[in-house]
Amino acid sequence: QVQLVESGGGLVQAGGSLRLSCAASGRTFSNYGMGWFRQAPGKEREFVAGINLSGRITNSADSVKGRFTISRDNAKNTVYLQMSNLKPEDTAVYYCAQSTGTIATRQGQYAYWGQGTQVTVSS
């Protein structure tokens, strides 16, 4: 049974930084792409960033390019999202997800989801 547990969310001022972590268990972590999504109040969940099996290939949404970085440590079964220069519009619940294969951008390509962690950016 796959479990994904996010941590690292919180309240931060605009311009600040946070690092989210997602610890995975239940199947061979290095065999699957990972991703981060977010859902703001009243909005649909959206793709933030994705990473392939080895961690050498990543992609991210235009809204976070240059500010957010996704990475993974296969020895620790953990994926990270380093967020810098945070803006109030980044306020959302952030979800970690494990894909059905390699790097992916669509929600339907992800099989397992964490419970989410709240990120709030004050102006």
Side-chain angles (χ1 to χ4, degrees), residues 1 3 23 29-30 42 60 67 83 85 97 116:
Q1 175 175 341
Q3 283 194 317
F29 181 73
S30 58
S60 59
R67 301 188 300 120
M83 305 184 293
N85 191 20

Side-chain angles (χ1 to χ4, degrees), residues 4-13 16-23 36 68 78-84 86 90 92-96 115-121:
L4 302 174
V5 180
E6 301 101 333
S7 60
L11 174 64
V12 63
Q13 287 189 332
S17 299
L18 280 175
R19 187 175 82 154
L20 305 182
S21 299
C22 172
W36 287 95
F68 292 11
T78 302
V79 64
Y80 305 97
L81 185 68
Q82 177 67 49
M83 305 184 293
S84 303
L86 283 158
D90 295 318
V93 176
Y94 283 72
Y95 297 91
C96 165
Q115 81 288 350
T117 186
Q118 176 71 46
V119 171
T120 303
V121 185

Side-chain angles (χ1 to χ4, degrees), residues 4-118:
L4 302 174
V5 180
E6 301 101 333
S7 60
L11 174 64
V12 63
Q13 287 189 332
S17 299
L18 280 175
R19 187 175 82 154
L20 305 182
S21 299
C22 172
S25 62
R27 59 179 186 173
T28 305
F29 181 73
S30 58
N31 284 355
Y32 299 95
M34 299 294 295
W36 287 95
F37 289 75
R38 67 186 181 185
Q39 187 168 20
K43 294 187 177 181
E44 294 193 353
R45 190 158 57 184
E46 64 176 2
F47 171 77
V48 175
I51 191 165
N52 79 328
L53 279 61
S54 68
R56 293 193 188 98
I57 300 172
T58 65
N59 57 9
S60 59
D62 288 344
S63 58
V64 305
K65 270 187 171 64
R67 301 188 300 120
F68 292 11
T69 301
I70 187 171
S71 62
R72 66 190 294 164
D73 185 338
N74 286 344
K76 296 182 178 179
N77 291 352
T78 302
V79 64
Y80 305 97
L81 185 68
Q82 177 67 49
M83 305 184 293
S84 303
N85 191 20
L86 283 158
K87 304 174 180 181
E89 51 264 41
D90 295 318
T91 295
V93 176
Y94 283 72
Y95 297 91
C96 165
Q98 188 173 74
S99 83
T100 57
T102 186
I103 192 170
T105 60
R106 291 183 286 111
Q107 294 187 55
Q109 295 172 296
Y110 286 84
Y112 297 97
W113 296 81
Q115 81 288 350
T117 186
Q118 176 71 46

